[in-house]
Amino acid sequence: MIAVFGHLNPDTDAITAALVYANLLRRQGEAATAYRLGELNFETVFVLKEAGVEAPELLGQLPAGHAVALVDHNESSQSLPGLKTLNVTHVVDHHRLGDLETSQPATLRFEPLGCTATILLRLHLEANLPVEPLDARLLLSAVLSDTLHFRSPTTTPADREAAAFLAQVAGIPDVTAYAMSMFAAKSDLGDTPASALLKMDYKVFVLGDQTWGIGVIETTNPGYVFGRQAELLSAMSAEKAASGLNGVLLSVVDILQETNRTLVPGDSEAGVVQAVFGAAAQGHVADLGGRISRKKQIVPALEAHFSR
Ligand code: MG
Ligand code: MG
Ligand code: MG
């Protein structure tokens, strides 16, 4: 059996890609099961509930050599602990190639598109397999989530075309209304503890000789997040110490205004943010302007800075 899963602190793409790719592999004759590597965020809970789909099971440790398929990630720092002891048989991803190693020849599909879902649609078309309506709904949700309804600079024409096609198959006539309901669910953070808010959309990156944790909160209600700024800053400092990181950042992305104001817990982060983005932190907040994509506008600039 191939265990199919997306990254730690899963987002909608990580969860739906695992479900849909496991189904596609089964339809192609492989034994495959979807799993998740963490708790669902509020947007993904909404998406699965609307679709009437159960969340994939939480994955525990796997025995050495077990077959795994990675979706929506490939870096070991974002994956199941002990990944290097496992047999990576497949990867479908739209991120930078990190430290991926395979023990056998593997099926790898990387494309610089806005979403793993867009690649998964291509895999269906190439295999001459129709996308099942439920899978189309899941894939559409992922495209809308990852591209922030086509606002993110990661969006490509292929993502827009995929969404239009998937909406038809899924029977979702008003994509804008559906996207807004997803973002409302994502922004309704309730009394979630600050440490959990930090980790909701959080990834660890090896950048040159440094290791940084970078979280993002995409929201239609940034006022709520900044109302909890003090708690979030202490959660960030605690995480930095607990995980021995060189720096921690938390970007608060206003989905509708397309702006990024990033929480900066300490002087070392403030210095790096000033050097890399030319943004001076004031009261632990740095205005990163329209840089709303961690993948395209934050991580590469930090990587260039630390690799110099
Ligand atoms: Mg993701
Ligand atoms: Mg993705
Ligand atoms: Mg995202």
Side-chain angles (χ1 to χ4, degrees), residues 7 11 72 203:
H7 51 81
D11 57 11
D72 194 37
K203 294 182 181 180

Side-chain angles (χ1 to χ4, degrees), residues 216-238:
V216 180
I217 297 178
E218 294 164 345
T219 179
T220 57
N221 184 10
Y224 169 87
V225 180
F226 285 104
R228 301 189 59 188
Q229 180 173 329
E231 285 170 78
L232 287 166
L233 285 166
S234 49
M236 292 166 75
S237 298

Side-chain angles (χ1 to χ4, degrees), residues 155-202:
T155 309
T156 69
D159 301 302
R160 292 176 182 274
E161 280 166 34
F165 176 81
L166 292 164
Q168 258 186 350
V169 176
I172 297 180
D174 190 342
V175 170
T176 300
Y178 180 62
M180 284 310 300
S181 60
M182 283 173 52
F183 298 152
K186 172 183 251 177
S187 304
D188 187 6
L189 298 170
D191 53 4
T192 308
S195 55
L197 288 179
L198 171 64
K199 290 294 188 72
M200 203 125 56
D201 183 356
Y202 178 86

Side-chain angles (χ1 to χ4, degrees), residues 49-87:
K49 189 166 172 236
E50 290 285 302
V53 171
E54 291 278 328
E57 204 179 306
L58 187 66
L59 185 58
Q61 276 307 111
L62 290 172
H66 197 289
V68 296
L70 310 183
V71 290
D72 194 37
H73 76 299
N74 68 85
E75 302 188 40
S76 62
S77 64
Q78 300 165 11
S79 196
L80 191 68
L83 180 68
K84 305 240 174 189
T85 69
L86 302 174
N87 177 23

Side-chain angles (χ1 to χ4, degrees), residues 12-302:
T12 297
D13 193 30
I15 295 295
T16 60
L19 288 166
V20 174
Y21 194 42
N23 192 32
L24 177 61
L25 289 171
R26 287 193 297 271
R27 291 170 73 190
Q28 294 177 309
E30 307 257 21
T33 307
Y35 291 94
R36 62 184 164 90
L37 297 190
E39 294 308 310
L40 303 187
N41 70 34
F42 295 121
E43 179 191 76
T44 312
V45 169
F46 170 83
V47 164
L48 295 189
K49 189 166 172 236
E50 290 285 302
V53 171
E54 291 278 328
E57 204 179 306
L58 187 66
L59 185 58
Q61 276 307 111
L62 290 172
H66 197 289
V68 296
L70 310 183
V71 290
D72 194 37
H73 76 299
N74 68 85
E75 302 188 40
S76 62
S77 64
Q78 300 165 11
S79 196
L80 191 68
L83 180 68
K84 305 240 174 189
T85 69
L86 302 174
N87 177 23
V88 178
T89 58
H90 301 71
V91 182
V92 181
D93 193 14
H94 67 129
H95 294 89
R96 71 172 191 176
L97 178 60
D99 60 345
L100 179 68
E101 288 172 17
T102 68
S103 49
Q104 312 275 336
T107 301
L108 306 180
R109 181 69 174 259
F110 287 73
E111 291 195 69
L113 301 176
C115 188
T116 307
T118 306
I119 309 173
L120 289 173
L121 171 59
R122 289 183 169 184
L123 293 180
H124 281 80
L125 298 175
E126 290 165 16
N128 279 314
L129 286 170
V131 184
E132 295 172 356
L134 199 55
D135 284 350
R137 171 180 270 273
L138 297 175
L139 294 176
L140 172 65
S141 306
V143 174
L144 297 172
S145 172
D146 265 17
T147 66
L148 298 176
H149 192 205
F150 315 131
R151 290 173 176 84
S152 170
T154 56
T155 309
T156 69
D159 301 302
R160 292 176 182 274
E161 280 166 34
F165 176 81
L166 292 164
Q168 258 186 350
V169 176
I172 297 180
D174 190 342
V175 170
T176 300
Y178 180 62
M180 284 310 300
S181 60
M182 283 173 52
F183 298 152
K186 172 183 251 177
S187 304
D188 187 6
L189 298 170
D191 53 4
T192 308
S195 55
L197 288 179
L198 171 64
K199 290 294 188 72
M200 203 125 56
D201 183 356
Y202 178 86
K203 294 182 181 180
V204 173
F205 295 91
V206 177
L207 304 163
D209 60 355
Q210 302 228 344
T211 304
W212 282 54
I214 306 176
V216 180
I217 297 178
E218 294 164 345
T219 179
T220 57
N221 184 10
Y224 169 87
V225 180
F226 285 104
R228 301 189 59 188
Q229 180 173 329
E231 285 170 78
L232 287 166
L233 285 166
S234 49
M236 292 166 75
S237 298
E239 176 59 25
K240 183 178 173 179
S243 297
L245 299 169
N246 299 101
V248 176
L249 298 174
L250 179 60
S251 291
V252 183
V253 168
D254 184 327
I255 297 172
L256 301 179
Q257 301 300 320
E258 303 180 33
T259 57
N260 175 351
R261 282 180 293 156
T262 291
L263 294 180
V264 176
D267 291 343
S268 57
E269 285 93 350
V272 169
V273 166
Q274 171 76 61
V276 174
F277 302 108
Q282 295 189 341
H284 294 283
V285 181
D287 186 346
L288 298 195
R291 295 180 184 89
I292 61 173
S293 169
R294 172 175 53 196
K295 176 170 64 175
K296 192 160 183 162
Q297 295 167 304
I298 305 293
V299 171
L302 290 171

